[in-house]
Amino acid sequence: MPESWLASVPGVREHEPLEPHSWYGIGGRARYFLELADDATLPALAARLNTDRQPYLVIGAATNTLFAAPELPGLTVKLVTRRLSIAEETVSVSAGYLMPKLAAETAKAGQAGLEFGAGVPGTVGGSVFGNAGAFGGEVKDRLRSVDAIDERGQRRTVSAAECRFGYRDSVFKAEHDRWVILSATFATNREPPAQVRARMLEVQKHRRATQPIEQRSLGSTFKNPPGDSAGRLIDAAGLKGMRIGGAQISPKHANFIVNLDGASADDVLALMAEMRNRVFERFGIELEPEVRVIGRTPSG
Ligand code: EPU
């Protein structure tokens, strides 16, 4: 087979192991892989990928993503852009920036409203994509607009209303999964830094008390069904502590699957199937995955 043009894109690596790029420590390989600290070349690249009908996936810290394929076809782009600008009650930040760092920096600058980010262990791009939230705050509360590239490689500014945020949902997740989120602008308000920081520390404290943050996990495995909690249901089905291979349903919080020791994607998927089946048998409720499984369907 002739070598793809992707092989000659500056910086591209071939057959890249994804495990080091996965917060969870699980991954196959990426056929072509590109890490970008600068997104200036992305519009032209996205346009060409789409014209050429190449598969591609954009990742950030991969804290909510399970790589379940032996090798991802096409190009995997890891965005590590780290731009942050804080003006009068407006914060603009690139997609590759980490949410806990955003929370810390805005607190230091006396800009309130993004403290919840301390409880979201992912990038800004991933958090916008999934309208991430924790401890009373979520992306949609403060988001003003998103800069993105559409499938033709055109830059677009998407307003908060056009993002159509829902519970762990956005227009990017529901409809435009071939768009690339480049940056986001948030509205903040001025407050003494010590006050903002105190609330941020509360978020961290609450998270440490209720979630297994000292272990590797993908965060909440399933979305909460309307009016209930996936963690409560899995716990009530008696599954806390259950182990398959190197993966375990956290004894601390039943909606977290931790990678105890060299877990494989199969171990995690088998536990997810068990959780869904047992909760369905016991309560007649179908849990819907919150984690993004790439390369396999997460059905039970
Ligand atoms: N519960 C149990 N057993 C458990 C875990 C929880 O009975 O093993 C009960 C708790 O006692 C509580 C209820 O279930 O009454 C809800 O639990 P918790 O307060 O821990 O919140 P959650 O609904 O499980 C959600 C988000 C988290 C976010 C926390 C804090 C979802 C799916 N999860 O968890 O988000 O950090 O609230 O705001 O919406 C994530 O999305 O990855 C994530 C971690």
Side-chain angles (χ1 to χ4, degrees):
M1 206 164 64
E3 185 80 302
S4 160
W5 60 270
L6 284 168
S8 54
V9 171
V12 158
R13 303 202 283 265
E14 296 195 42
H15 306 293
E16 173 81 359
L18 288 172
E19 193 235 280
H21 304 291
S22 147
W23 175 271
Y24 207 21
I26 295 181
R29 289 171 184 274
R31 178 65 186 88
Y32 297 98
F33 180 87
L34 181 62
E35 187 164 314
L36 286 180
D38 179 351
D39 52 31
T41 56
L42 257 181
L45 184 59
R48 187 159 181 202
L49 285 161
N50 280 294
T51 316
D52 205 30
R53 296 185 184 282
Q54 286 283 342
Y56 62 91
L57 173 73
V58 179
I59 61 169
T63 50
N64 202 220
T65 301
L66 177 65
F67 298 120
E71 184 164 271
L72 291 182
L75 182 68
T76 301
V77 177
K78 179 176 178 178
L79 268 187
V80 291
T81 48
R82 302 276 151 83
R83 297 186 304 272
L84 173 67
S85 75
I86 302 178
E88 252 327 280
E89 310 208 314
T90 302
V91 172
S92 291
V93 60
S94 58
Y97 209 88
L98 291 167
M99 290 295 284
K101 180 145 172 73
L102 176 64
E105 293 296 323
T106 49
K108 213 193 291 174
Q111 299 281 348
L114 299 174
E115 299 86 295
F116 76 93
V120 177
T123 59
V124 167
S127 300
V128 169
F129 183 83
N131 184 27
F135 308 106
E138 55 186 350
V139 163
K140 85 171 188 359
D141 301 340
R142 292 288 179 150
L143 189 115
R144 274 204 180 137
S145 63
V146 173
D147 280 323
I149 314 173
D150 67 16
E151 54 281 274
R152 292 192 310 282
Q154 303 290 315
R155 278 175 181 269
R156 301 217 183 196
T157 300
V158 185
S159 70
E162 288 166 337
C163 286
R164 282 195 260 130
F165 288 120
Y167 169 58
R168 297 295 188 267
D169 198 23
S170 75
V171 76
F172 305 102
K173 192 169 172 180
E175 277 174 39
H176 299 315
D177 65 343
R178 289 181 75 79
W179 289 26
V180 183
I181 296 166
L182 296 180
S183 63
T185 301
F186 294 96
T188 48
N189 51 284
R190 295 208 56 84
E191 245 184 70
Q195 253 168 253
V196 189
R197 198 175 127 75
R199 282 198 302 271
M200 187 190 80
L201 293 177
E202 270 306 303
V203 168
Q204 281 173 350
K205 196 171 125 195
H206 192 146
R207 192 162 162 255
R208 253 196 312 274
T210 56
Q211 301 177 5
I213 61 160
E214 59 294 338
Q215 288 169 298
R216 298 209 275 191
S217 80
L218 293 170
S220 291
T221 308
F222 296 99
K223 294 185 195 174
N224 285 336
D228 210 330
S229 151
R232 190 196 71 76
L233 292 164
I234 299 160
D235 189 354
L239 292 172
K240 257 187 179 172
M242 180 178 180
R243 189 173 168 167
I244 295 181
Q248 186 191 34
I249 299 174
S250 166
K252 191 166 182 180
H253 194 303
N255 198 19
F256 284 63
I257 300 177
V258 296
N259 180 358
L260 277 187
D261 178 21
S264 67
D266 284 338
D267 296 341
V268 177
L269 289 167
L271 271 183
M272 284 175 72
E274 198 60 32
M275 289 150 103
R276 289 190 87 192
N277 291 338
R278 298 272 285 270
V279 167
F280 184 71
E281 280 161 19
R282 179 97 189 256
F283 304 104
I285 294 172
E286 274 193 68
L287 293 177
E288 209 187 303
E290 181 188 306
V291 299
R292 201 175 174 208
V293 179
I294 305 290
R296 213 92 65 82
T297 47
S299 56

